[in-house]
Amino acid sequence: LLVMVGTVSLANAAAWLRWNRQYADFAGLGFFAAANAALAFGMYLVSMRGQLPELATTVLANMVTLCGLLLNHEGLRRFSGRAWPAWRSPLWLLLPLGAGSAWFTLLDPSVHDRILVFTGCAAIGCAWIAVELLRSRAAAAARLRPAAWVFGGFALLLALRWAFTVAEGPLDDFMHAGRIHELMLFAYIGFIRFKELALFDATVACVVAESQ
């Protein structure tokens, strides 16, 4: 499942790179490609757990995966033509994630707490993007409201995963963490597909408007 999520993201990254090359005047498309590439790299790193050093498959993997989600914010900001101050970027969430992942990997090893830290930061980041899009008139004009609902829905799923993880007992192995975590990987695939459909729809609308 991890490899499948990574492969879907990698294919999307290649598609956005092509669009970015063909429609260089549209800002943000390169960030959509980078977001998918980072998500793919993060998923591949997690899938190599037990074959690569733990710092690479936990701390680095978590950081890169979250970066893959949050880079969409910068792409959406540029695509909609809206200027958001740097302090309002959800990329700041990489700081608590890095600190928490390192702590629960090196100092107080805990698969359970690493999942909580990552899922909490990812839920906040996706909700952050959704709220920014819903509040932005520029995003509405750029037909990005569907993307807001996709990010909002995924934030809700992440919040549910966080709640289930709190309620369940300690976990010894992420690769055998339970059904809720397996289902979350399927949710990632759904999120990626619906997100890309929303972003491609907005991009195609811009292409059509430019050609008229």
Side-chain angles (χ1 to χ4, degrees), residues 1 4-5 8 154 184-194:
L1 285 174
M4 185 183 300
V5 175
V8 170
F154 193 55
M184 200 64 218
L185 291 174
F186 283 109
Y188 264 102
I189 296 174
F191 162 73
I192 292 168
R193 298 313 302 152
F194 283 113

Side-chain angles (χ1 to χ4, degrees), residues 38-208:
L39 185 59
F41 183 44
M43 290 293 171
Y44 287 143
L45 280 176
V46 177
S47 71
M48 297 294 288
R49 193 159 293 176
Q51 303 176 55
L52 293 177
E54 192 173 25
L55 278 177
T57 60
T58 55
V59 179
L60 179 60
N62 285 346
M63 296 279 286
V64 173
T65 301
L66 183 64
C67 188
L69 291 174
L70 302 183
L71 279 175
N72 286 289
H73 180 272
E74 185 63 21
L76 290 163
R77 180 186 73 80
R78 292 171 181 261
F79 185 83
S80 64
R82 188 180 180 194
W84 288 323
W87 63 267
R88 282 175 58 177
S89 171
L91 286 169
W92 289 104
L93 290 166
L94 291 171
L95 296 177
L97 174 65
S101 295
W103 180 274
F104 292 118
T105 299
L106 301 174
L107 301 177
D108 184 17
S110 172
V111 175
H112 182 268
D113 290 330
R114 284 203 304 263
I115 292 175
L116 287 178
V117 171
F118 173 83
T119 305
C121 289
I124 293 171
C126 288
W128 191 321
I129 294 172
V131 170
E132 290 278 12
L133 292 177
L134 290 173
R135 292 177 59 187
S136 170
R137 292 181 180 179
R143 296 182 58 167
L144 290 174
R145 285 292 169 82
W149 295 114
V150 173
F151 276 97
F154 193 55
L156 179 60
L157 290 176
L158 287 164
L160 289 173
R161 181 199 190 193
W162 189 91
F164 274 107
T165 304
V166 169
E168 68 183 0
L171 301 171
D172 297 323
D173 185 356
F174 175 78
M175 295 302 184
H176 301 87
R179 188 57 53 85
I180 184 63
H181 306 291
E182 294 174 5
L183 292 175
M184 200 64 218
L185 291 174
F186 283 109
Y188 264 102
I189 296 174
F191 162 73
I192 292 168
R193 298 313 302 152
F194 283 113
K195 171 179 70 75
E196 297 307 308
L197 285 174
L199 298 182
F200 275 123
D201 176 71
T203 305
V204 169
C206 287
V207 172
V208 172

